[in-house]
Amino acid sequence: MLMVWLVGLLVISLIPGEPHLHAAGGFPDVKQGHWAKVAIDSAVAKGYFKGYADGNFKPNGTVTRAEFAALLARVAKAEESEVTGHSFSDLSGHWSEAEVERAVSLGFIQPSDYLNGFQPNTPITRFEMAKWMTSGLAANNDDFKQALEDTKTTVIPVREYFKPGIPQSKSSYVAVALGTKLMSGYPDGSFGLDKKATRAETAIILQNYEQVSNREAGSFLGLNELREVGTQRTNMETISPFTTGNNPLTNVVDKTLTFRNHAGSLKLRNYIITDSQDFKDIKSIYAPLFINQTDFDARLDQPGRYRAYIQITIYPKTKDFDLDHYMNGSIYGLVNGSRIANTKLTEKYGYLTLPNMYTKEFFKEHNSSDGITLWVKTILDVKKNPNDQLTTDDGSFSSLRVK
């Protein structure tokens, strides 16, 4: 009898698909204090997730495509369109077939993404999760659909954006996932596009999806910033009291400004503002890229003052181009700034800022036919109405002022 029971237990635990037994009173491997315990318990109570035959949840286990499709199909409240039931030939007879087809009909999964078959037992990547969820939101809400369009060329506050770069075909899904807090990055600054999410992470993500799906796209501050940067190359209207009014930044972005000392030229790329009036609560989805509590300066960080971070590309022309050539080459506040001193953040995310020593060597080392793209910092003060402006070589104009 004991042997029969053991064999039966083994068979149950090896059945493919979503684990199906729940440990009464909780899971021994998800003890009190586990970072995802609340989300795991909630997901199990709602019938989304279940435990394994041995009574454990296995929070560090991976999640397959089939499992995540089934989870989304269970969480989604929308009514699906007509289900054809034949999206993937390799799903015929698979335990997840009906739920994958429901996920397809709800817009989560695009069959065209899997021309070689769905491969249901493949562990799902975090990028796939982001794409499936944001696609599902877009399929049922026109503003989320527009958000995917608005964020295709936005600045994404994760390390991969700076190096090696996130392709435009992927960028908007990552941006919307971050902007709605469906997903978040890792402590090292990365998003982990190709990482395999654990069951514990997935429980948190499902909880987030439930909350996000009940809100409008315009209710997320971070997403609004990402959308504004994607369409206007700045987040100032969303996060600050500053505006460019009838002279938008897009008038001058990516246009050449020749230095008045003829040492070279530059182009403005993006202009990002953070609300750092309260260093215990620095506002902006972009803040972690540039600033943290160690940057507080009582002389600079006072009520009414905001920190702006300007992305420019410098094209040195003169031999031995130096920092002074940039600093003295322009009179325009929209492209003038100083070095970002927090080297822990510049190294963490992998972007360049102005050097503080060996400056000639810096510009020589990083110069290429594409110029040198870097970020600089400036302080904006509401009380002094900055009136920063920029006129490019072709006469295009933009200016910054208080609303």
Side-chain angles (χ1 to χ4, degrees):
M1 291 293 292
L2 177 60
M3 181 62 68
V4 170
W5 180 83
L6 288 172
V7 171
L9 179 61
L10 177 62
V11 170
I12 289 174
S13 66
L14 292 178
I15 291 176
E18 181 65 18
H20 60 287
L21 295 183
H22 178 214
F27 301 101
D29 59 348
V30 185
K31 297 179 180 179
Q32 198 68 34
H34 188 282
W35 62 273
K37 179 174 174 54
V38 173
I40 290 171
D41 289 346
S42 175
V44 169
K46 293 173 181 178
Y48 304 151
F49 260 122
K50 300 174 186 177
Y52 282 84
D54 62 2
N56 287 310
F57 182 78
K58 299 185 180 179
N60 296 323
T62 57
V63 176
T64 66
R65 287 174 181 166
E67 288 169 345
F68 194 64
L71 290 167
L72 288 179
R74 296 168 197 170
V75 171
K77 298 180 177 65
E79 293 295 326
E80 68 266 27
S81 57
E82 183 178 353
V83 179
T84 63
H86 301 289
S87 298
F88 304 102
S89 60
D90 61 345
L91 275 181
S92 180
H94 193 272
W95 68 267
S96 69
E97 184 175 10
E99 289 176 304
V100 171
E101 291 299 340
R102 172 170 161 76
V104 170
S105 69
L106 289 171
F108 291 112
I109 302 170
Q110 308 301 317
S112 59
D113 289 340
Y114 302 97
L115 296 178
N116 295 321
F118 188 64
Q119 301 176 33
N121 299 323
T122 300
I124 193 168
T125 66
R126 280 171 52 85
F127 169 71
E128 287 177 295
M129 285 183 159
K131 184 171 184 179
W132 290 12
M133 290 187 293
T134 56
S135 294
L137 292 171
N140 292 283
N141 184 294
D142 287 341
D143 201 19
F144 276 114
K145 183 177 181 180
Q146 186 60 49
L148 287 176
E149 289 297 317
D150 292 345
T151 53
K152 283 184 176 180
T153 60
T154 196
V155 175
I156 303 177
V158 294
R159 191 176 66 194
E160 294 96 327
Y161 172 82
F162 299 98
K163 189 177 182 180
I166 299 177
Q168 189 172 321
S169 60
K170 294 184 177 182
S171 59
S172 59
Y173 304 109
V174 176
V176 173
L178 290 170
T180 56
K181 296 185 179 179
L182 274 172
M183 301 175 74
S184 57
Y186 288 104
D188 67 356
S190 69
F191 181 81
L193 280 79
D194 296 324
K195 282 189 175 181
K196 312 301 189 292
T198 65
R199 283 166 57 82
E201 285 179 298
T202 303
I204 294 284
I205 289 169
L206 286 177
Q207 186 178 65
N208 294 342
Y209 181 83
E210 282 188 300
Q211 297 170 357
V212 172
S213 62
N214 290 320
R215 292 175 58 180
E216 294 298 320
S219 67
F220 297 96
L221 176 65
L223 182 57
N224 291 339
E225 288 185 81
L226 289 162
R227 293 176 73 172
E228 188 185 353
V229 171
T231 56
Q232 301 299 316
R233 308 297 278 272
T234 181
N235 64 339
M236 68 176 67
E237 299 282 353
T238 301
I239 202 71
S240 80
F242 302 98
T243 184
T244 52
N246 295 325
N247 301 297
L249 212 64
T250 50
N251 285 354
V252 295
V253 162
D254 298 334
K255 295 185 178 180
T256 299
L257 169 67
T258 299
F259 292 140
R260 58 181 180 169
N261 54 22
H262 303 292
S265 61
L266 65 73
K267 292 181 180 179
L268 172 63
R269 303 302 188 185
N270 291 284
Y271 194 100
I272 289 174
I273 296 178
T274 61
D275 181 351
S276 56
Q277 296 179 96
D278 180 0
F279 258 69
K280 294 181 180 179
D281 182 24
I282 304 173
K283 296 179 177 65
S284 176
I285 193 171
Y286 291 106
L289 289 179
F290 305 114
I291 186 173
N292 59 32
Q293 293 186 8
T294 66
D295 293 305
F296 177 75
D297 186 330
R299 298 170 302 166
L300 301 176
D301 299 299
Q302 300 174 7
R305 289 188 173 181
Y306 294 72
R307 293 188 180 220
Y309 299 89
I310 311 166
Q311 187 187 39
I312 57 176
T313 300
I314 296 176
Y315 301 89
K317 181 179 178 182
T318 192
K319 185 179 179 181
D320 294 329
F321 186 92
D322 205 348
L323 185 59
D324 287 342
H325 291 118
Y326 159 68
M327 301 299 292
N328 299 321
S330 168
I331 60 172
Y332 296 116
L334 278 179
V335 291
N336 290 351
S338 60
R339 175 175 175 269
I340 297 173
N342 194 327
T343 56
K344 289 185 178 180
L345 292 181
T346 61
E347 292 171 0
K348 177 178 179 177
Y349 289 99
Y351 59 85
L352 294 178
T353 188
L354 294 170
N356 68 337
M357 57 191 305
Y358 305 114
T359 56
K360 291 181 181 179
E361 291 81 358
F362 171 88
F363 287 107
K364 183 177 181 180
E365 175 188 353
H366 294 285
N367 193 19
S368 71
S369 59
D370 296 324
I372 307 166
T373 297
L374 44 77
W375 292 82
V376 296
K377 177 194 74 178
T378 191
I379 302 295
L380 302 176
D381 193 334
V382 173
K383 299 175 183 178
K384 294 183 179 179
N385 200 347
N387 196 30
D388 288 346
Q389 56 185 279
L390 172 61
T391 302
T392 55
D393 290 0
D394 66 355
S396 299
F397 174 77
S398 182
S399 63
L400 178 71
R401 58 179 173 79
V402 177
K403 294 178 184 176

